[in-house]
Amino acid sequence: MKPILCSFLLLTLGLTIHVSSWSQQKVGLVLSGGGATGFAHIGVIQALEEKGVPIHYITGTSAGALIGALYAVGYSPLEIREIVLSENFQLMATGGLKPNQTFLTKEDDNSSSLLEFSFPKDSLFQKSLPTNFANSTFLDFELLKILGTRGAAHDNDFDQLFVPFRCLASDIVSKQNVVFRSGPLNEAVRASLTFPFYFKPLRVNDRLLFDGGLYNNFPADVLYEEFSPDYIIGSNVSYNAEEPKENDLYSQVVNMIVYNSNFNLPCEEGILIEPELDMTTFDFDEVERAIEIGYQTGLKYADSILPFMKQTVDVASLQAKREEFRMQSLDILIRNLDINAPQKAEQFVRKSLFRNSKDTLLTLRKLEKRYYRLAATDHVDFLFPVIKKNNKGTYDMTIDVRKSNEFKLQVGGHFSSRPVNTGYLGLTYLILRRQAIKLHASSYFGKFYGSAHADVKFELPSTFPLTIEAYFTRNRWDYFRSFATFFEEVKPSFLVQNENYAGLRIHHPISNTIKSTYDFRYFNNEDDYYQSDKFTLVDTTDKTYFEGFNLSWQIKQSSLNRKQFATSGHYLSFRARYVNGLERSISGSLASEPYNIRKRHDWINLNFDGQTFIIDNPYFHFGVSGKATFNSQSLFANYTATLLSLTTFDLVPDARTYFLPEYRSPLFFGGGMNCIFSLRKSIDLRFDGFLFQPLRSLVVNDDGSVGYSKPFKGETFMASASIIYHSIIGPVRFTANYFPKQEKPIAFQISYGYVLFNERSFR
């Protein structure tokens, strides 16, 4: 009996051990890199989960690290799908910002700059090449919100996540992978997906890290070594680069920096899923299709995986466990702030985030608003935030801050088939200490327009942030009686305007996209003009000098997507201006009677200007624009002198390069539509049409005196049709403009650049 009893006990023990090992089977999932193609992993995970395939461990690199981390912190496949198909994700992937995350007070006035180069002050003759194509500001903060907060709630230990997780980044100095097992989760994932030259690299523990796929684009070996799973499921959308070609620089660079990866599984117990995708790394507008292909491929493989699964999972119970895991996350309240920044800049950064002593706790919402304001400062090149839980039930934040290079050189202009070509050069010097100081000088140069401008700005971080600006501008406008193209001879100048002004501005924000500006300036203008078109080169011009000052207040809102030729967003400006000055007008050789007139003027000018896009979709945009002016200005010595001092209706940009008397009036309103068809992402077919309605028009009476017409006389319109290619270095246009009261109402031109100039002294 004893031998029989022992045999029975041994058999029972063996069965118990076998059943225990059967029930404790662990499944690991490895996700490759692949950029936009990597989002097929979402569909694969969705298919596996729907079929009841359990996932106990995850490793990933690059795009696989992002998808794997989202799943590891408790997002379901459907929630991950919703995240990556959102507008937010498109901005993350392409380096954009939401309109309310720009900060208008920190933006410079629009200029004709097309290219910008930066360089540090200790190497003035060595230009610093940009290290990134896309801005990662939005990506970095969104990763903090969706990953960093959940990782911090579990002590930044990747083994405590809903699914234990590992990801890889590449150390380009040691030429080795770095495996992240702990630390800020948003930092680990951001390092893993830092594709070279696309996003700025991160420095973690004094190691400069890039995309994990450079050295291992399929970390199945890491999964096996870290977790020893019983069964491995691999989802791979990547491949090794082809051999370099003699005439293909890209293939040569890729082979220099990227190592071949092993896409085989490290054990026999497993399966490799490889969705077939006809996409490229940066086809982020094809993400939904990638998910669907991954889902269909996952379904095909899931049935062959199930026989190897010793247990399955129920989706409903899995979701209940997710909800329980999420409940462990605390509300994010930042108590302490540690700043890694140059010593002189630390106080500016701290005051920008924690404004005063009353800010003992900072909510994530309040932090977000201040973070984007700080990122908008020209002096700050890069920010990266991480958080960790402290023993008081709140969080501590560390933020890495990199200063911008001290010098920035801007190059641009407007180059046209008409004789209004203008070049632009600008130089900016940035100083970041307790305040952010910016010194800027720029010049426009050309026959039609020349200008010199200099300013210095002081940005004061505080609860009520202010920017104080002192400036000087000199403008020269040289109009000539010609609508010429480069095939026609340009006639002599008939009107030259010189403006000199200097002043002081105070800017303060009302919201991120709305600012208020108070402006005081002194000006000294000289207009040289003929009052008749019957002049020769030996004739002298009439001259009007106007010297004085003006005070103005402007409130401005802008979220337009481009500084000119916008297709989405909103713009609104209201300016109230008081002008006071002394006119001196002197007759020229063509005057019917000699005169030398002195006269003091003062008036109030109210100006409204706005644009909004009502319809904004990828292929069609429809907007409305308008402008209105109220002016109590008195008459100058003659018709032309008065006309030159009036506000111009110029909603068609090229109207600013003509002298068009019919669009000048002391009282007017006008508006119209912007109709844009986006033939491709960077090519627009654009139609703009506007009605101009003066309430009072300037006229010359029968006796030669100057006066005003009857109300609502002189209405007209202007229109423009363009094909615009928005290149990465500025717009290229073929345009037809229509000004019906001109001798040649239709004018064609080919141009490159922006039709933008420095502000006028008071007009």
Side-chain angles (χ1 to χ4, degrees), residues 110-321:
N110 287 334
S111 72
S112 289
S113 174
L114 296 165
L115 295 171
E116 182 174 279
F117 307 95
S118 66
F119 47 91
K121 65 180 179 181
D122 55 355
S123 58
L124 295 181
F125 302 104
Q126 180 181 349
K127 181 178 71 64
S128 298
L129 293 174
T131 58
N132 62 295
F133 173 76
N135 183 346
S136 67
T137 301
F138 185 69
L139 167 69
D140 295 340
F141 199 84
E142 286 297 298
L143 289 179
L144 175 71
K145 287 166 58 178
I146 63 179
L147 293 177
T149 54
R150 293 194 178 184
H154 294 83
D155 299 319
N156 286 332
D157 182 353
F158 296 179
D159 286 334
Q160 294 185 34
L161 300 178
F162 184 69
V163 179
F165 172 72
R166 300 288 187 268
C167 69
L168 281 69
S170 298
D171 180 349
I172 62 171
V173 175
S174 65
K175 301 294 189 295
Q176 293 178 343
N177 278 125
V178 175
V179 179
F180 285 95
R181 304 173 179 87
S182 62
L185 183 59
N186 61 308
E187 182 178 65
V189 172
R190 170 64 166 80
S192 184
L193 54 80
T194 303
F195 194 86
F197 310 117
Y198 193 74
F199 290 126
K200 285 185 181 297
L202 289 188
R203 187 172 291 277
V204 181
N205 297 327
D206 205 32
R207 304 173 82 174
L208 194 65
L209 301 181
F210 286 86
D211 193 302
L214 293 182
Y215 305 144
N216 187 349
N217 214 16
F218 188 68
D221 55 333
V222 175
L223 178 74
Y224 193 72
E225 293 166 6
E226 292 284 321
F227 299 116
S228 298
D230 301 297
Y231 192 88
I232 294 178
I233 300 172
S235 179
N236 176 43
V237 294
S238 189
Y239 53 88
N240 288 319
E242 296 179 356
E243 290 188 5
K245 299 179 176 62
E246 293 83 350
N247 59 349
D248 187 345
L249 178 62
Y250 178 77
S251 70
Q252 296 168 15
V253 172
V254 167
N255 276 270
M256 286 181 201
I257 64 175
V258 178
Y259 291 6
N260 283 346
S261 297
N262 182 1
F263 295 109
N264 298 315
L265 298 180
C267 62
E268 294 182 0
E269 297 295 320
I271 193 168
L272 185 61
I273 302 173
E274 295 185 294
E276 295 183 3
L277 298 155
D278 55 344
M279 296 167 50
T280 66
T281 301
F282 298 105
D283 284 342
F284 292 109
D285 54 348
E286 297 282 341
V287 167
E288 186 170 13
R289 188 164 66 87
I291 296 173
E292 184 59 29
I293 293 173
Y295 177 68
Q296 296 300 331
T297 307
L299 288 177
K300 292 177 183 178
Y301 279 84
D303 289 333
S304 59
I305 295 172
L306 284 174
F308 296 94
M309 296 295 101
K310 300 174 183 179
Q311 61 182 9
T312 58
V313 294
D314 176 68
V315 174
S317 62
L318 187 61
Q319 189 61 30
K321 291 179 181 179

Side-chain angles (χ1 to χ4, degrees), residues 255-550:
N255 276 270
M256 286 181 201
I257 64 175
V258 178
Y259 291 6
N260 283 346
S261 297
N262 182 1
F263 295 109
N264 298 315
L265 298 180
C267 62
E268 294 182 0
E269 297 295 320
I271 193 168
L272 185 61
I273 302 173
E274 295 185 294
E276 295 183 3
L277 298 155
D278 55 344
M279 296 167 50
T280 66
T281 301
F282 298 105
D283 284 342
F284 292 109
D285 54 348
E286 297 282 341
V287 167
E288 186 170 13
R289 188 164 66 87
I291 296 173
E292 184 59 29
I293 293 173
Y295 177 68
Q296 296 300 331
T297 307
L299 288 177
K300 292 177 183 178
Y301 279 84
D303 289 333
S304 59
I305 295 172
L306 284 174
F308 296 94
M309 296 295 101
K310 300 174 183 179
Q311 61 182 9
T312 58
V313 294
D314 176 68
V315 174
S317 62
L318 187 61
Q319 189 61 30
K321 291 179 181 179
R322 284 197 183 102
E323 295 298 332
E324 183 181 350
F325 176 82
R326 294 175 183 179
M327 294 296 291
Q328 300 173 32
S329 298
L330 302 174
D331 290 335
I332 303 301
L333 293 173
I334 308 299
R335 181 177 296 276
N336 300 308
L337 180 65
D338 184 25
I339 300 170
N340 293 330
Q343 187 175 5
K344 293 181 180 179
E346 182 179 343
Q347 189 170 352
F348 178 87
V349 175
R350 187 174 299 278
K351 284 189 174 183
S352 296
L353 297 175
F354 278 89
R355 294 285 168 75
N356 51 50
S357 58
K358 295 181 181 179
D359 275 339
T360 55
L361 290 174
L362 196 60
T363 64
L364 196 62
R365 183 176 180 181
K366 188 180 291 186
L367 169 68
E368 182 173 5
K369 185 176 181 180
R370 296 178 183 180
Y371 168 87
Y372 285 111
R373 286 189 177 186
L374 177 61
T377 304
D378 277 349
H379 307 66
V380 174
D381 180 56
F382 180 69
L383 298 173
F384 194 82
V386 297
I387 60 173
K388 65 179 180 180
K389 191 165 59 175
N390 57 39
N391 56 12
K392 296 181 180 179
T394 56
Y395 292 84
D396 298 332
M397 167 171 279
T398 299
I399 184 164
D400 288 330
V401 182
R402 299 180 202 166
K403 288 174 56 179
S404 299
N405 288 331
E406 289 85 355
F407 285 95
K408 291 186 178 181
L409 176 67
Q410 300 94 21
V411 180
H414 176 235
F415 309 98
S416 171
S417 57
R418 290 181 52 241
V420 291
N421 298 296
T422 305
Y424 174 83
L425 281 176
L427 182 65
T428 302
Y429 179 57
L430 304 172
I431 304 170
L432 184 59
R433 294 178 180 171
R434 296 179 62 180
Q435 296 86 30
I437 304 172
K438 180 190 294 186
L439 290 83
H440 175 76
S442 63
S443 175
Y444 288 88
F445 44 92
K447 174 176 172 52
F448 165 67
Y449 176 66
S451 180
H453 173 84
D455 65 66
V456 56
K457 293 181 180 178
F458 298 87
E459 184 181 322
L460 309 177
S462 64
T463 305
F464 189 71
L466 294 176
T467 300
I468 301 173
E469 174 188 7
Y471 60 89
F472 168 79
T473 303
R474 177 179 177 85
N475 289 326
R476 177 180 174 86
W477 304 82
D478 188 351
Y479 296 93
F480 25 86
R481 183 76 69 182
S482 177
F483 273 43
T485 66
F486 47 72
F487 300 111
E488 301 178 34
E489 180 184 356
V490 177
K491 297 182 180 180
S493 303
F494 73 100
L495 167 61
V496 176
Q497 293 182 290
N498 289 285
E499 301 178 333
N500 300 283
Y501 62 87
L504 185 71
R505 292 190 186 107
I506 299 175
H507 309 274
H508 71 84
I510 296 175
S511 71
N512 278 22
T513 59
I514 304 176
K515 73 174 180 179
S516 172
T517 301
Y518 299 91
D519 190 339
F520 170 81
R521 70 176 56 161
Y522 162 81
F523 61 83
N524 187 339
N525 294 350
E526 176 186 341
D527 294 338
D528 300 334
Y529 52 90
Y530 295 103
Q531 294 194 62
S532 168
D533 58 2
K534 302 293 193 287
F535 63 88
T536 66
L537 294 176
V538 298
D539 289 315
T540 59
T541 60
D542 291 49
K543 295 180 182 293
T544 294
Y545 303 92
F546 189 49
E547 180 178 1
F549 68 91
N550 74 60

Side-chain angles (χ1 to χ4, degrees), residues 10-73:
L10 289 172
L11 179 61
T12 303
L13 179 62
L15 287 172
T16 302
I17 294 172
H18 181 71
V19 170
S20 175
S21 64
W22 183 276
S23 63
Q24 293 179 2
Q25 181 196 42
K26 298 297 182 181
V27 178
L29 176 66
V30 56
L31 305 176
S32 74
T37 62
F39 294 97
H41 299 321
I42 301 170
V44 171
I45 295 172
Q46 181 182 350
L48 295 176
E49 189 171 291
E50 288 179 358
K51 290 291 186 176
V53 177
I55 298 172
H56 299 100
Y57 311 111
I58 296 181
T59 61
T61 191
S62 194
L66 174 61
I67 304 306
L70 288 168
Y71 192 76
V73 297

